[in-house]
Amino acid sequence: MNMGKGIRASYTVEAAGVMAIVLLVVMVLLNHAFHVRAETAGDFTVHEWVERKRHAIENQEEHEITSQAQGMRWSIEITAPVFRPEETLRMWSLAE
């Protein structure tokens, strides 16, 4: 058996360098994935809040609803008109 033989040291050093690069790339990709997830969750939260407020009866007298949020590397501002179903129904009756 070849008990005395081993791997040359140059292979070990190269493998350590490659693994350092691979781990760095994995960490960068995970950081970016968490950033995209946080931005998406923040966007959805603001969208949901605006949609709830624009359909609420207490906001019937306003013309539009505006909301904004800001995260670590992102920000969003959403403006939507207040939903008034009677105006839509009037338009449909005109079309008929």
Side-chain angles (χ1 to χ4, degrees):
M1 298 191 69
N2 295 332
M3 293 292 247
K5 288 189 174 185
I7 298 176
R8 292 189 316 205
S10 63
Y11 290 139
T12 307
V13 172
E14 288 172 4
V18 168
M19 283 306 295
I21 292 171
V22 167
L23 289 176
L24 179 69
V25 168
V26 168
M27 287 188 322
V28 167
L29 289 175
L30 278 173
N31 184 27
H32 185 67
F34 283 126
H35 167 69
V36 169
R37 185 244 173 240
E39 183 177 357
T40 304
D43 289 352
F44 273 110
T45 302
V46 174
H47 275 281
E48 182 182 11
W49 188 87
V50 167
E51 285 298 317
R52 288 186 188 274
K53 289 296 181 182
R54 73 183 285 247
H55 287 87
I57 293 174
E58 62 266 11
N59 296 327
Q60 196 172 17
E61 299 302 318
E62 297 182 32
H63 293 289
E64 60 186 21
I65 302 293
T66 301
S67 180
Q68 60 184 358
Q70 188 171 348
M72 195 168 196
R73 290 183 285 177
W74 61 272
S75 64
I76 186 171
E77 181 176 349
I78 299 174
T79 302
V82 173
F83 180 67
R84 293 191 175 92
E86 65 277 358
E87 291 180 7
T88 306
L89 292 173
R90 286 186 193 130
M91 291 300 209
W92 277 107
S93 66
L94 286 174
E96 290 178 354

